[in-house]
Amino acid sequence: MSFNRIDIDRWGRKPYFEHYMKESKCTYSITVNLNITTLLNMIRNKNVKLYPVFIYMVSRVINLYTEFRTSFNDKRQLGYWDEMSPSYTIFHKEDHTFSVTWTDYSNDFSLFYKRYLRDLEQFGNKKGLWSRGELPANTFSISFLPWVSFTGFNLNLYNDAEYLLPIITGGKYFSVGEEVFLPVSLQVHHAVCDGYHVSIFVNDLQKLVDSCEEWLI
């Protein structure tokens, strides 16, 4: 997958990038509750799993915007990937550990779901932090905490604030009256993402949930 270098001197975001990478290194997170009432009913009717559906929706939004695909490559060059695939955690019930694997992204849900099931069958029972070996460079991180609902979630990365890609965490869904909500946390680096971009992510994710009958086939 192609990595497109950014010419910082011609980049409109240069002053913001340099400020939040040098003077005020800053990552931040936001947690929202997605209304998944319709989606959950659809999932049950289709007999599919929530976790890969969640991974797909997040991946689809990430791939719409370069701000969420901007990072350093292995030569520490700044740029953005044409497309990114999700890396995600798989929980091992027998010893309460987890492993990280990934699935190649496709905008077509049915194809992505087939790939997910294939990868889960091949790598789901493999122990160790990295069940599939080294992650491709064009992956971003998703995890899920199905045991607890939360109102806030924050990761503290001690890497000199140079990890620019988003990190997404889902929690245990809960009911309020007849509606069902899923807590979702998004963590980003302020050097590449402002509040506007976070708002786009949240709103687009909710739109995908609301339009699930159009793509969850």
Side-chain angles (χ1 to χ4, degrees):
M1 189 54 56
S2 298
F3 183 79
N4 306 279
R5 290 186 60 185
I6 293 174
D7 184 344
I8 296 181
D9 291 331
R10 295 185 178 182
W11 192 28
R13 192 169 177 81
K14 178 182 178 180
Y16 305 92
F17 179 81
E18 292 186 340
H19 175 73
Y20 289 116
M21 286 298 294
K22 297 177 181 178
E23 287 84 11
S24 299
K25 293 181 179 181
C26 178
T27 65
Y28 65 100
S29 63
I30 182 173
T31 300
V32 298
N33 292 322
L34 291 181
N35 189 326
I36 63 166
T37 308
T38 301
L39 176 67
L40 198 58
N41 289 332
M42 187 79 169
I43 286 173
R44 289 167 176 166
N45 290 335
K46 295 289 184 179
N47 195 29
V48 296
K49 300 177 181 180
L50 175 60
Y51 191 26
V53 169
F54 175 72
I55 294 172
Y56 167 80
M57 293 190 300
V58 169
S59 301
R60 185 161 165 175
V61 176
I62 292 296
N63 278 292
L64 287 175
Y65 303 99
T66 58
E67 288 83 3
F68 300 126
R69 292 179 277 117
T70 300
S71 66
F72 294 109
N73 64 9
D74 57 358
K75 298 178 182 178
R76 211 186 173 283
Q77 297 168 329
L78 181 67
Y80 61 91
W81 297 97
D82 283 340
E83 185 177 273
M84 299 203 75
S85 293
S87 68
Y88 51 91
T89 54
I90 298 174
F91 183 68
H92 304 298
K93 294 181 180 179
E94 59 275 14
D95 61 2
H96 302 162
T97 63
F98 70 92
S99 298
V100 178
T101 189
W102 75 90
T103 293
D104 291 328
Y105 174 70
S106 172
N107 194 60
D108 182 284
F109 172 74
S110 61
L111 178 55
F112 178 81
Y113 192 71
K114 290 177 182 178
R115 290 176 177 176
Y116 169 87
L117 293 178
R118 174 203 64 196
D119 294 337
L120 187 64
E121 181 179 2
Q122 187 172 358
F123 303 105
N125 292 323
K126 290 189 176 182
K127 299 294 183 64
L129 183 57
W130 314 108
S131 67
R132 197 176 171 181
E134 185 176 353
L135 293 174
N138 64 317
T139 56
F140 67 95
S141 298
I142 296 178
S143 61
F144 213 77
L145 301 177
W147 313 279
V148 62
S149 298
F150 50 77
T151 56
F153 189 92
N154 184 64
L155 292 167
N156 301 299
L157 300 177
Y158 295 95
N159 61 353
D160 204 28
E162 292 193 353
Y163 187 83
L164 302 181
L165 294 173
I167 302 174
I168 298 91
T169 307
K172 179 182 180 181
Y173 60 79
F174 61 94
S175 298
V176 177
E178 297 182 354
E179 295 184 314
V180 183
F181 295 89
L182 177 72
V184 178
S185 173
L186 169 68
Q187 182 148 331
V188 295
H189 200 301
H190 212 337
V192 293
C193 288
D194 302 322
Y196 170 75
H197 307 106
V198 168
S199 300
I200 287 178
F201 176 89
V202 172
N203 292 332
D204 277 16
L205 193 58
Q206 184 65 65
K207 288 177 183 177
L208 266 182
V209 172
D210 295 340
S211 64
C212 61
E213 294 181 357
E214 299 175 7
W215 53 265
L216 210 165
I217 55 177

